[in-house]
Amino acid sequence: MYRRTLLGGALAAPALLSIPVRAQGTITLNGASQFGDEHPYTKSLLRFEELVKQYWGKPINFVLHKNSSLGLEKQYFEYMAQGRAVDYAIVSPAHMSTFSKAAPFVDAPFLFRDIPHWNQVLEQDLFRPVAEEVEKRARVVMIGYGGGGVRNIFANRKVTNLAEMRGLKVRVQGAPIWSRSFAAIGMSPTVIAYNEIYNAIQNNVIDAGENEAAGVEQMRFYEVAPDLAMTQHAITIRPLCFSVATLNKLPNDLQAAIRKAGKEASTFHRQAESGADGQILEALEKAGRLRRVEFTQRAEMKKLVDPVMAAYAREIDAEGILNRINALSA
């Protein structure tokens, strides 16, 4: 947001208020990432900054708050919706469910068959109705779609089939579709904050979690849950989001530069994350930090989830989107 004023000198993110000024000062935009410099999210946000500066061609400041210094993605999205503290961030659609029931559908389990199918869905912009709903209700615009990590289940014991998976206490994202899907498979899903997963496994509160390779590496989940069941149950879509309250206050040419840069930075994100996925797991396995475990019943797992997905699509009026996704040939 343009220059900010701190009330009473408070530095905590919730205390930050957006007070735009059109004075001679240079525009400053604040971003947020849960991760450090090596994570694809952070690299993509830095790429976004570079591209905005390139396309606008005028002085502008970016401040990227890394390593969860402004909280977690759920908070980032709330701040953007309120028009304060965070102007742009990469956010899992699961954290948008407070504002839009349809948002978690973008990232639901077993929605994509493989990377080519996932790419085709994004290229055809099949989630446009969901993005429009999020923009209308949350006042946050998705200016690009990143992601591309294949999610698997990391556990503190070996899990190779549905029988061994039954009753597994697994951490899931906050959106209801995740709990419903994993419960249908026979697991015992629990919603826990992302930064609490490690300790929860260490203290036997849960047995497992699910994540893409970059997250497993960055959060060192392999230290407490070294067995990675290759369920390949989801391929991530991680929208690059921007506060509408901020965007509307910016010059038109800067708005155009932000939208253009958002699409390109998200393409960079998809290529970086999907390309690095296997390399990260191979390196971790070679170093003896985790064990990739073949999961033999993925097809049966998906069959258990299909009715849940169909019911969920009806509930959020997304049957048309689901049918178009399923009809794609990739």
Side-chain angles (χ1 to χ4, degrees), residues 107-110 112 149-151 178 210 231-236 298:
D107 195 46
F110 292 105
F112 309 109
V150 179
R151 293 177 82 93
W178 285 86
E210 55 86 40
T231 51
Q232 301 179 46
H233 56 270
I235 302 174
T236 63
R298 185 188 183 279

Side-chain angles (χ1 to χ4, degrees), residues 10-187:
L11 293 176
L16 285 169
L17 299 180
S18 172
I19 303 178
V21 290
R22 287 259 184 194
Q24 292 100 4
T26 303
I27 294 169
T28 295
L29 298 175
N30 282 270
S33 173
Q34 291 183 172
F35 307 103
D37 291 332
E38 296 307 309
H39 196 279
Y41 287 21
T42 306
K43 290 180 179 179
S44 301
L45 292 172
L46 292 172
R47 179 64 176 154
F48 170 67
E49 174 184 334
E50 293 171 3
L51 290 168
V52 172
K53 289 178 177 178
Q54 175 186 331
Y55 293 141
W56 196 41
K58 301 174 186 177
I60 183 170
N61 295 326
F62 284 82
V63 179
L64 180 57
H65 304 270
K66 296 174 280 190
N67 295 305
S68 302
S69 60
L70 291 186
L72 302 177
E73 289 176 24
K74 182 176 175 61
Q75 284 79 51
Y76 306 160
F77 194 79
E78 291 169 353
Y79 294 153
M80 285 186 282
Q82 295 163 6
R84 66 190 184 106
V86 176
D87 299 309
Y88 63 95
I90 294 170
V91 178
S92 166
H95 300 307
M96 306 175 191
S97 58
T98 303
F99 300 89
S100 168
K101 285 186 177 180
F105 184 69
V106 171
D107 195 46
F110 292 105
L111 192 58
F112 309 109
R113 292 188 289 275
D114 48 32
I115 289 289
H117 183 220
W118 169 82
N119 263 317
Q120 196 173 6
V121 170
L122 292 179
E123 287 168 1
Q124 296 193 19
D125 202 14
L126 296 186
F127 291 118
R128 178 179 288 276
V130 178
E132 290 173 349
E133 181 187 38
V134 170
E135 183 173 355
K136 179 180 178 181
R137 296 187 178 180
R139 304 294 290 157
V140 175
V141 60
M142 300 181 193
I143 56 174
Y145 295 107
V150 179
R151 293 177 82 93
N152 297 289
I153 293 175
F154 52 90
N156 58 12
R157 64 175 185 263
K158 192 174 181 180
V159 178
T160 65
N161 55 46
L162 289 174
E164 293 174 353
M165 185 172 277
R166 182 161 297 280
L168 189 74
K169 293 182 292 183
V170 59
R171 181 267 181 183
V172 295
Q173 301 176 57
I177 185 58
W178 285 86
S179 292
R180 294 179 196 176
S181 296
F182 279 37
I185 293 165
M187 289 181 275

Side-chain angles (χ1 to χ4, degrees), residues 238-255:
R238 294 293 178 262
L240 173 49
C241 299
F242 204 97
S243 169
V244 170
T246 300
L247 197 65
N248 287 345
K249 295 167 187 171
L250 300 176
N252 289 338
D253 56 345
L254 178 53
Q255 291 186 35

Side-chain angles (χ1 to χ4, degrees), residues 104 120 183 200 217 222 228 247 260 278 305 308 326:
Q120 196 173 6
E217 180 185 44
Y222 53 81
L228 189 70
L247 197 65
K260 182 178 181 181
V305 174
V308 176
N326 289 337

